[in-house]
Amino acid sequence: MDALDYIRTLGALALVLGMLLGAAYALRRWGHKIPGLTIGAAPAESRIRVVSTQMVDARHKLVLVRRDDVEHLLIIGPQGTTLVESGISNVPPSGKAS
């Protein structure tokens, strides 16, 4: 192989990698507008969704899950999952200090 073959090979590799990165960017940016394609988001008709997550420490995470109109607070760790509170009403905090 001479230098021209190496340049062509590297150029083709760069082109393919650029096309893959461009496709990944396009799917993240505009993928939600394509019917039937759900990348990074739950379908609108799903009854269950994760509302919020918060790391407690390096090994434990609090997860607020909403099913229908009821929220459940779970703690997830290496020993498994534990239900902390169930039946939380879906009332957002007012944000006012009393």
Side-chain angles (χ1 to χ4, degrees):
M1 290 180 93
D2 60 347
L4 187 58
D5 289 334
Y6 285 119
I7 292 172
R8 283 186 190 158
T9 303
L10 290 176
L13 178 64
L15 180 68
V16 169
L17 289 176
M19 289 171 48
L20 284 172
L21 288 174
Y25 173 76
L27 282 175
R28 274 186 80 76
R29 176 105 168 122
W30 299 292
H32 63 280
K33 295 181 182 178
I34 300 172
L37 181 66
T38 56
I39 295 178
E45 64 273 358
S46 178
R47 293 177 55 203
I48 300 174
R49 72 182 191 104
V50 175
V51 177
S52 179
T53 62
Q54 180 70 43
M55 292 300 296
V56 177
D57 57 27
R59 298 174 55 163
H60 296 89
K61 180 191 305 188
L62 281 172
V63 180
L64 186 62
V65 178
R66 179 176 296 143
R67 180 192 49 86
D68 297 332
D69 290 329
V70 181
E71 294 179 347
H72 307 278
L73 185 63
L74 309 169
I75 188 161
I76 301 173
Q79 292 81 20
T81 302
T82 304
L83 178 65
V84 176
E85 187 175 355
S86 183
I88 304 168
S89 64
N90 188 10
V91 179
S94 64
K96 297 179 184 177
S98 300

